[in-house]
């Protein structure tokens, strides 16, 4: 009898729990509050796809147009969280939801579906692909009352985050302020918006507003028990102290950020915090601590494919640490990895895609301004008055522009004349240092390194005036070209350098000539410079050839030497 009662109670409990694990969709309308209520039920569920499908089944069963749209978006989000990467199933469900919302002609659902898809692309660092989706969302929002949107605060927040990422900080600030207007105070979302507002003010150089908003976010997140956001605010406050060069306070805040982030198992923020800590330790010349923290950041960055841009920043910090230490250990390997990452990121998440996205946003804003102007010019009577006014303004503007251009040209000419004098002076000083010093191999290396710095600067100056057709800039180009040629390795430089190399590395030099008689004089120049740690870029600069030419020369030598090339490589790689 007792067993029977227990069985009945168990079955009753099981039925209740099963009922609790399905989404409730009792509303038959498309009111914003009803739709938000349905969607919010999903936010509290786990990411197991079988569980999610069962949970969302009532939406599918009802088959109303709005329910099907919500079903596809929530399922797309679930697949994204489960796979933790871009995946065809998420793509399919997001795109289907957007098509269905357009067919239904429901702007609130269309905006929500499109923004969910844009957020998915953004989260997995597909910035270029995300751009047109975000732009379409912005256009739709501008044409509709935000109060009619689903989750307007969240919508403006995500748009602000994206604009921040592509570097359009003024527009990001505008959208984040709108997000505050439509978000509930004293919530985790409100704290996140305040925090990101502060970060954008920081990036625009407004430290006062930055500290104000981040401090507000810090107090709020601590009071509501949002530990992760509180940790992030500490890291962001540390960046303000970093700007003010108060590294001790910044380090203390960053360490607390790491402690809380690790305690709450937030790997992404832990990685950000260790990266920041490395930067602070490096600036404070605490090199050993910087090396330890960068390794921890690197370990996390390599754990996810969408952390590539963070890995790139970490590798550049490693190079900076090597420079601070004055060592070249592992430098070649780090630089090779940087090249690979930059090439890969240029397709999705690097500087080029982000710049392209920012340019497209600016182009869109300009086009909107043009369209607005064209509408204003639609009335013929008004158009005539504007033509006269604009003509007069254009004449004045042309005069002012011409005058300003001449002033700028004069100023630029003075600046470039001063730079040429400075470059000539630097060249003479460098040559004098070599003459005055004991002619050791180290002084030659220092001499060549300084030359390389000057060569790169001259290339930059020449590139700046490359497209100019003015006679002044043509003359400047000739002067800079002559100065550049004078920096290249002369025969005298080569003889002196080679003689000193023979004296200090006699065994290596003799072995090269004895074991590889087929090596030419031009091969020997590259080999000796490479032996002393000069990069392809530095060698190219000194010899007046391209980096590609250096690489091809090495490849030809490898083919010429055949199996002996490995011996040469070992000799070069041996302790310098």
């Amino acid at each position: 009898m007792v067993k029977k009662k227990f069985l009945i109670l168990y079955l009753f409990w099981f039925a209740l729990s099963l009922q609790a694990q399905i989404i409730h969709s009792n509303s038959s309308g498309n009111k914003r509050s009803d739709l938000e209520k349905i969607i919010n039920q999903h936010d509290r569920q786990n990411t197991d796809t079988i569980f999610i499908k069962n949970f969302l089944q009532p939406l599918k069963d009802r088959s109303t147009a709005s329910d099907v749209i919500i079903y596809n978006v929530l399922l797309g989000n679930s697949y994204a969280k489960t796979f933790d990467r871009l995946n065809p199933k998420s793509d399919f469900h997001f795109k289907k939801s957007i098509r269905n919302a357009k067919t239904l002609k429901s702007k609130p659902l269309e905006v929500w579906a499109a923004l969910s898809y844009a957020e998915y692309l953004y989260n997995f660092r597909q910035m270029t692909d995300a751009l047109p989706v975000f732009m379409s969302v912005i256009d739709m929002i501008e044409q509709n009352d935000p109060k009619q949107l689903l989750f307007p605060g969240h919508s403006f927040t995500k748009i602000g985050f994206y604009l921040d990422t592509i570097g359009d900080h003024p527009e990001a600030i505008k959208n984040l302020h709108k997000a505050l207007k439509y978000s509930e105070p004293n919530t985790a979302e409100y704290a996140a918006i305040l925090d990101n507002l502060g970060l954008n003010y920081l990036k625009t150089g407004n430290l006062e507003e930055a500290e104000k908003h981040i401090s507000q976010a810090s107090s709020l997140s601590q009071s509501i028990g949002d530990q992760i956001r509180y940790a992030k605010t500490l890291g962001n406050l540390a960046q303000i102290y970093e700007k003010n060069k108060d590294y001790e306070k910044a380090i203390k805040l960053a360490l607390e950020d790491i402690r809380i982030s690790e305690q709450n198992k937030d790997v992404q923020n832990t990685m950000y915090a260790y990266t920041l800590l490395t930067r602070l330790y490096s600036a404070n010349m605490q090199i050993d601590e910087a090396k330890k923290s960068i390794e921890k950041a690197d370990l996390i960055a390599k754990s996810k494919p969408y952390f590539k841009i963070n890995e790139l920043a970490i590798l550049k910090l490693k190079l900076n640490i090597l420079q601070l230490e004055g060592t070249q250990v592992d430098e070649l390997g780090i630089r090779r990895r940087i090249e690979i990452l930059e090439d890969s990121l240029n397709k999705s998440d690097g500087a080029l895609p982000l710049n392209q996205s920012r340019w497209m946003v600016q182009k869109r804003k300009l086009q909107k301004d043009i369209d607005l102007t064209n509408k204003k010019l639609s009335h013929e009577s008004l158009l005539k008055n504007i033509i006269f006014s604009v003509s007069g303004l254009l004449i004045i503007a042309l005069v002012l522009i011409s005058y300003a251009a001449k002033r700028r040209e004069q100023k630029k000419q003075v600046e470039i004349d001063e730079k040429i004098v400075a470059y000539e002076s630097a060249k003479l000083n460098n040559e004098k240092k070599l003459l005055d010093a004991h002619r050791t191999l180290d002084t030659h290396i220092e001499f060549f390194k300084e030359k390389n710095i000057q060569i790169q600067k001259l290339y930059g100056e020449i590139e700046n005036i490359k497209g100019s057709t003015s006679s002044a800039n043509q003359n400047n180009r000739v002067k800079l070209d002559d100065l550049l040629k004078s920096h290249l390795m002369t025969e005298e430089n080569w003889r002196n350098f080679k003689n000193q190399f023979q004296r200090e590395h006699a065994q290596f030099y003799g072995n090269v000539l004895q074991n590889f008689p087929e090596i030419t004089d031009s091969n020997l120049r590259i080999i000796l410079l490479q032996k002393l740690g000069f990069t392809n870029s530095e060698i190219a600069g000194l010899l007046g050839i391209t980096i590609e030419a250096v690489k091809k020369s090495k490849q030809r030598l490898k083919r010429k030497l055949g199996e002996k090339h490995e011996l040469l490589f070992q000799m070069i790689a041996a302790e310098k």
Side-chain angles (χ1 to χ4, degrees):
M1 187 66 180
V2 174
K3 288 183 179 179
K4 188 175 181 180
K5 286 182 179 179
F6 273 118
L7 180 60
I8 291 169
L9 286 172
Y10 173 77
L11 290 173
F12 180 70
W13 171 83
F14 181 77
L16 286 175
S17 64
L18 188 64
Q19 180 65 20
Q21 291 179 5
I22 61 171
I23 198 164
H24 296 284
S25 178
N26 297 323
S27 172
S28 58
N30 283 329
K31 289 183 180 178
R32 172 189 149 187
S33 58
D34 292 335
L35 295 174
E36 287 183 347
K37 195 179 293 181
I38 295 169
I39 294 164
N40 276 330
Q41 291 178 58
H42 173 262
D43 290 343
R44 297 190 292 272
Q45 307 308 313
N46 63 40
T47 58
D48 179 86
T49 52
I50 296 174
F51 179 92
I52 290 299
K53 282 185 177 180
N54 291 332
F55 175 78
L56 299 176
Q57 191 62 38
L59 290 175
K60 195 173 182 182
D61 291 342
R62 287 204 336 155
S63 293
T64 66
S66 58
D67 285 344
V68 171
I69 292 165
I70 294 171
Y71 173 83
N72 279 290
V73 172
L74 298 184
L75 199 55
N77 276 329
S78 296
Y79 279 122
K81 289 175 183 176
T82 300
F83 292 122
D84 198 23
R85 58 180 168 80
L86 294 170
N87 65 89
K89 290 187 176 182
S90 288
D91 285 333
F92 171 79
H93 287 290
F94 281 127
K95 289 176 181 177
K96 185 177 179 181
S97 69
I98 295 169
R99 287 196 304 271
N100 290 348
K102 286 180 179 176
T103 303
L104 184 60
K105 295 182 180 178
S106 169
K107 284 299 175 186
L109 280 171
E110 187 181 349
V111 169
W112 176 67
L115 189 58
S116 296
Y117 182 45
E119 186 179 355
Y120 158 74
L121 295 171
Y122 167 78
N123 286 340
F124 295 111
R125 313 305 292 178
Q126 300 301 303
M127 298 303 170
T128 308
D129 292 339
L131 174 66
V133 191
F134 270 111
M135 291 301 99
S136 71
V137 169
I138 292 171
D139 284 338
M140 286 188 283
I141 289 176
E142 287 177 351
Q143 295 167 21
N144 292 273
D145 182 0
K147 292 178 182 177
Q148 302 304 315
L149 299 176
L150 296 175
F151 311 106
H154 179 80
S155 300
F156 285 119
T157 299
K158 291 306 171 185
I159 292 168
F161 286 179
Y162 178 76
L163 292 170
D164 170 26
T165 301
I166 65 172
D168 195 347
H169 304 300
E171 284 300 312
I173 289 170
K174 287 180 185 177
N175 278 276
L176 290 170
H177 274 295
K178 289 178 184 176
L180 283 180
K181 180 180 176 182
Y182 293 103
S183 299
E184 288 291 327
N186 302 319
T187 60
E189 184 176 11
Y190 202 85
I193 298 166
L194 285 170
D195 191 23
N196 280 275
L197 259 173
L199 267 181
N200 276 276
Y201 277 121
L202 177 62
K203 290 169 185 175
T204 58
N206 191 337
L207 298 188
E208 185 179 345
E209 284 296 316
E211 186 170 8
K212 170 186 157 185
H213 284 86
I214 296 171
S215 295
Q216 287 175 355
S218 187
S219 298
L220 175 56
S221 57
Q222 193 173 25
S223 68
I224 63 176
D226 185 351
Q227 287 296 298
I228 296 297
R229 178 56 55 188
Y230 177 61
K232 290 178 180 179
T233 62
L234 296 179
N236 294 337
L237 286 170
Q239 291 186 65
I240 296 175
Y241 284 113
E242 179 187 22
K243 287 280 186 185
N244 293 323
K245 301 189 184 303
D246 191 345
Y247 300 121
E248 293 298 330
K249 283 186 180 177
I251 288 168
K252 186 177 178 181
L253 287 168
L255 286 169
E256 183 64 8
D257 179 3
I258 290 167
R259 185 190 69 76
I260 298 171
S261 297
E262 288 182 335
Q263 190 177 55
N264 288 273
K265 299 180 180 178
D266 188 321
V267 291
Q268 182 165 307
N269 197 57
T270 301
M271 174 183 65
Y272 290 154
Y274 272 122
T275 305
L276 169 62
L277 184 62
T278 301
R279 208 166 66 227
L280 296 169
Y281 277 143
S282 298
N284 209 36
M285 295 307 292
Q286 293 175 249
I287 306 303
D288 289 339
E289 288 87 347
K291 287 164 73 175
K292 291 174 186 175
S293 59
I294 200 62
E295 288 306 321
K296 292 180 179 179
D298 193 34
L299 190 64
I300 299 172
K302 289 174 179 173
S303 68
K304 303 285 184 185
Y306 47 85
F307 285 164
K308 283 184 181 178
I309 194 165
N310 307 105
E311 185 185 353
L312 179 62
I314 288 164
L315 288 170
K316 289 181 179 179
L317 281 174
K318 284 188 175 184
L319 277 184
N320 181 54
I321 291 170
L322 290 180
Q323 290 171 0
L324 292 174
E325 283 188 311
T327 179
Q328 294 176 339
V329 177
D330 296 330
E331 182 179 347
L332 186 58
I334 292 172
R335 290 190 182 279
R336 282 176 180 165
R337 179 61 181 159
I338 287 174
E339 286 180 11
I340 292 168
L341 283 174
E342 285 179 336
D343 183 58
S344 172
L345 288 168
N346 277 339
K347 298 169 186 172
S348 62
D349 191 27
L352 181 59
L354 293 181
N355 285 335
Q356 286 175 337
S357 297
R358 184 164 61 254
W359 295 332
M360 289 300 292
V361 171
Q362 291 168 351
K363 180 182 176 182
R364 173 186 169 277
K365 285 192 286 189
L366 180 60
Q367 187 60 51
K368 287 185 73 175
D369 290 341
I370 292 170
D371 292 342
L372 187 61
T373 302
N374 287 337
K375 285 181 182 178
K376 290 179 181 178
L377 297 175
S378 59
H379 300 291
E380 194 173 337
S381 58
L382 181 61
L383 182 59
K384 289 178 181 179
N385 292 331
I386 290 176
I387 288 173
F388 285 119
S389 301
V390 169
S391 298
L393 290 172
L394 279 174
I395 292 169
I396 295 170
L398 286 171
V399 172
L400 291 174
I401 289 169
S402 176
Y403 175 76
K406 285 181 182 177
R407 292 281 296 172
R408 282 198 303 272
E409 197 66 33
Q410 290 171 353
K411 187 179 177 182
K412 282 183 181 177
Q413 187 58 47
V414 170
E415 287 175 353
I416 202 161
D417 286 341
E418 289 174 351
K419 284 181 179 179
I420 290 172
V421 170
Y423 289 138
E424 289 172 342
S425 176
K427 177 177 177 292
L428 292 172
N429 287 338
N430 193 30
E431 290 172 347
K432 187 174 183 300
K433 275 170 62 179
L434 183 66
L435 289 171
D436 293 343
H438 297 295
R439 291 201 174 194
T440 64
L441 199 54
D442 285 340
T443 58
H444 275 89
I445 292 172
E446 186 181 349
F447 175 69
F448 288 146
K449 291 280 185 184
E450 183 59 31
K451 267 185 174 295
N452 236 308
I453 293 169
Q454 296 300 316
I455 287 168
Q456 296 307 316
K457 287 181 179 179
L458 287 166
Y459 273 131
E461 295 293 344
I462 291 169
E463 190 64 29
N464 286 339
I465 62 172
K466 194 174 182 180
S468 175
T469 55
S470 72
S471 57
N473 276 334
Q474 292 298 325
N475 291 333
N476 291 334
R477 174 71 185 267
V478 171
K479 291 178 184 177
L480 289 168
D481 278 334
D482 290 341
L483 192 54
L484 178 62
K485 288 173 186 173
S486 72
H487 270 290
L488 303 179
M489 185 183 281
T490 63
E491 285 300 318
E492 182 181 356
N493 291 151
W494 167 240
R495 284 194 302 273
N496 292 337
F497 167 72
K498 186 169 66 171
N499 291 339
Q500 193 60 42
F501 189 100
Q502 284 179 265
R503 283 193 286 272
E504 295 191 32
H505 288 279
Q507 184 176 355
F508 173 83
Y509 189 85
N511 286 340
V512 169
L513 295 184
Q514 182 180 351
N515 292 313
F516 311 101
E518 55 270 81
I519 284 177
T520 65
D521 194 62
S522 62
N523 292 148
L524 190 59
R525 294 186 187 205
I526 293 175
I527 289 169
L528 298 190
L529 290 170
Q530 187 180 355
K531 174 69 177 174
L532 295 176
F534 283 82
T535 64
N536 286 347
S537 175
E538 292 171 333
I539 294 170
L542 287 170
L543 300 183
I545 58 179
T546 65
I547 297 174
E548 202 59 35
V550 174
K551 291 178 180 178
K552 286 181 179 178
S553 175
K554 290 181 178 181
Q555 289 167 358
R556 286 194 295 270
L557 180 61
K558 183 177 181 180
R559 287 196 295 271
K560 186 194 293 185
L561 296 179
E563 294 180 355
K564 291 198 297 180
H565 180 266
E566 184 63 24
L567 174 61
L568 177 61
F569 180 81
Q570 291 174 0
M571 291 171 61
I572 293 172
E575 187 177 351
K576 297 176 175 62

